[in-house]
Amino acid sequence: MANSAQARKRARQSVARNSHNASMRSMMRTAIKRVRQAIEAGDQAAANEVFRKAASAIDRVADKNIIHKNKAARHKSRLAAAIKAMAA
């Protein structure tokens, strides 16, 4: 247990930050799932539209250092490639 006032405050901040980061990570994962569902449904127009929103969500999470920027780039690249493969 935190003994000093500073340590107690840091523990409170850590709980709040962890909760916020988990929420942002969940929002990103949901956006990725929506793109995958659109791809599986075979609707390229819908997949492109949902991908734009998902890319924005992924970038937002990466900008806040919740995930690494390379992980964000990897997610966006693989989703874009999957959408592009639908046309072929």
Side-chain angles (χ1 to χ4, degrees), residues 28-37 54 58 75 79:
M28 178 195 71
R29 288 176 181 152
T30 302
I32 291 170
K33 284 177 191 172
R34 286 194 183 122
V35 177
R36 289 200 182 118
Q37 288 169 350
I58 293 168
H75 277 302
L79 290 173

Side-chain angles (χ1 to χ4, degrees), residues 17-57:
R17 194 177 307 113
N18 188 21
S19 170
H20 180 260
N21 288 350
S23 168
M24 295 291 285
R25 203 175 294 113
S26 173
M27 178 261 308
M28 178 195 71
R29 288 176 181 152
T30 302
I32 291 170
K33 284 177 191 172
R34 286 194 183 122
V35 177
R36 289 200 182 118
Q37 288 169 350
I39 291 169
E40 287 174 13
D43 189 356
Q44 190 169 15
N48 277 320
E49 181 61 30
V50 179
F51 173 71
R52 269 190 338 98
K53 293 176 183 172
S56 173

Side-chain angles (χ1 to χ4, degrees), residues 2-19:
N3 290 323
S4 66
Q6 178 187 20
R8 284 192 293 272
K9 179 177 179 180
R10 295 299 277 173
R12 284 195 310 272
Q13 289 175 328
S14 177
V15 169
R17 194 177 307 113
N18 188 21
S19 170

